[in-house]
Amino acid sequence: MLRSLVGSEMCIRDRYRSPDGIDQLFRFGHPESATEYCMHAQMAQLMQYQSLYEGFQHKAWIWYTAVLFWKSQSPWPNLRGAFYDHWLEPTGGFWGVKAAAGERIHVQMNLQSRGLAVISRSFDSIQAKASWSWWRPWNSSQVGAFHHSQQLVIQPNGVTDVRETVQFPTSEEDVLVLRLQLVSSNCILSNNEYWVAPQGTAPEESAWARLRQWKPKASKVALNVLNVTTVQRPDGTISSHLSLNHSRHGQPIALMTRLKLVYGTNKDIYQDNYNDNRVLPTWWSHNYFSVLNEETKHVQFEC
């Protein structure tokens, strides 16, 4: 089935299995087209590379002094192991690394121990509050009273471990979205997000299986564009800012929202015998992100 979707040449090096033998790509459901397969691949490598780089930086200057990524642009046709394609469009792997290492102050979770840590690249000690909440992906609703917060003193230029671990809600059996946030003096220092299943091989795989069953029933979520501000520089480059809002109560989370800039008004990136009409390279501040109900996301881009 996989070879019929993407061709045999794409199956040579695309291996998304974790050390426990679980295929990360098929966790999101069985792809029914090459387009869906590609989207699953982006989701899988975003999650994998975010976890990889968060693991590296949690042990920075203890086990590691630097991280070198080998071949950020792949020399063979595949959907993993590259941060951008040959047209310089960033992939899910790029945004996974950016989610892990793109903030000066970063709150993160160990997916195995469920322990929290704050990575600081600042030279100042900071007092902040770390909070975390659980959300159901299929209707964008918060899970009961499972919202926690803890006051922290973040050590400068290092790692601050949070004493309390994140507990999966005992009343839930499905995959949930975990939102982490770090706030200091009413300013958001860090936002982070994970898809989490109940721990244990059998409960975890049952939860992912139910997510796959829910997937065909899920519809696309429409986001509102609140405003767009565009400035053209003297050198011809364009800098823009836009705001997206998810205002439809009860609808699923807008998972893995991918922004693309295209020529003309046609929403399809391929027109006239598959001529690619994307504006590339385009540099986004955020991409492949999720938007909760009644949440607004601010994005900047340049091209």
Side-chain angles (χ1 to χ4, degrees):
M1 178 62 179
L2 180 59
R3 292 178 183 271
S4 66
L5 289 177
V6 297
S8 59
E9 65 276 6
M10 299 295 289
C11 301
I12 298 175
R13 296 182 177 272
D14 279 307
R15 301 187 181 276
Y16 287 89
R17 294 190 178 276
S18 57
D20 55 6
I22 299 173
D23 194 317
Q24 303 294 321
L25 191 149
F26 285 87
R27 273 186 160 176
F28 306 104
H30 201 291
E32 299 176 357
S33 65
T35 298
E36 199 167 281
Y37 174 88
C38 291
M39 190 61 185
H40 288 199
Q42 303 306 319
M43 295 168 68
Q45 61 173 328
L46 186 151
M47 297 171 68
Q48 288 176 338
Y49 283 119
Q50 179 181 354
S51 298
L52 179 67
Y53 273 74
E54 286 183 343
F56 282 139
Q57 61 191 16
H58 186 245
K59 296 297 182 180
W61 307 110
I62 301 175
W63 294 354
Y64 313 104
T65 57
V67 179
L68 175 65
F69 186 86
W70 176 245
K71 295 181 180 177
S72 60
Q73 201 280 324
S74 179
W76 48 72
N78 70 345
L79 295 169
R80 180 186 178 185
F83 290 161
Y84 50 92
D85 64 14
H86 61 289
W87 291 113
L88 298 182
E89 179 170 12
T91 65
F94 173 88
W95 296 108
V97 175
K98 195 171 189 300
E103 297 175 317
R104 190 180 184 190
I105 310 292
H106 179 69
V107 59
Q108 65 183 48
M109 182 183 73
N110 184 314
L111 291 176
Q112 291 184 330
S113 67
R114 304 282 170 87
L116 296 179
V118 178
I119 313 300
S120 174
R121 299 177 180 87
S122 170
F123 292 105
D124 300 318
S125 178
I126 301 173
Q127 292 188 350
K129 181 176 72 172
S131 62
W132 54 97
S133 56
W134 296 94
W135 298 81
R136 298 182 182 91
W138 53 89
N139 60 8
S140 195
S141 64
Q142 190 170 349
V143 180
F146 288 94
H147 181 93
H148 301 269
S149 61
Q150 182 174 333
Q151 296 292 334
L152 300 172
V153 176
I154 302 172
Q155 300 303 315
N157 197 30
V159 180
T160 301
D161 289 308
V162 180
R163 294 188 301 273
E164 187 175 353
T165 58
V166 176
Q167 301 297 322
F168 194 89
T170 55
S171 59
E172 298 291 325
E173 298 179 348
D174 296 312
V175 174
L176 299 177
V177 174
L178 173 65
R179 275 291 182 92
L180 304 179
Q181 190 173 81
L182 195 66
V183 178
S184 177
S185 300
N186 296 322
C187 294
I188 298 176
L189 301 179
S190 175
N191 274 313
N192 205 349
E193 179 180 291
Y194 300 92
W195 283 69
V196 185
Q199 285 184 310
T201 303
E204 182 176 357
E205 285 312 299
S206 297
W208 285 107
R210 284 190 294 273
L211 180 67
R212 291 193 292 270
Q213 294 171 3
W214 163 76
K215 175 197 157 187
K217 304 176 184 178
S219 58
K220 291 185 178 180
V221 178
L223 298 177
N224 303 316
V225 179
L226 299 182
N227 57 71
V228 179
T229 304
T230 302
V231 176
Q232 185 170 4
R233 300 192 178 102
D235 61 359
T237 59
I238 294 176
S239 176
S240 295
H241 177 278
L242 61 89
S243 300
L244 301 172
N245 176 260
H246 182 359
S247 62
R248 291 163 176 80
H249 183 71
Q251 282 200 356
I253 291 175
L255 167 68
M256 291 290 289
T257 302
R258 179 192 178 191
L259 301 178
K260 295 172 287 186
L261 189 64
V262 299
Y263 292 102
T265 58
N266 195 322
K267 295 181 180 179
D268 191 350
I269 66 172
Y270 296 108
Q271 302 176 10
D272 304 328
N273 298 323
Y274 296 95
N275 290 324
D276 192 341
N277 68 335
R278 291 174 297 173
V279 180
L280 293 172
T282 299
W283 312 111
W284 301 91
S285 62
H286 302 84
N287 218 334
Y288 287 93
F289 52 82
S290 299
V291 187
L292 299 176
N293 186 258
E294 299 181 358
E295 182 180 23
T296 299
K297 191 78 173 180
H298 303 283
V299 181
Q300 294 179 333
F301 66 90
E302 296 182 3
C303 60

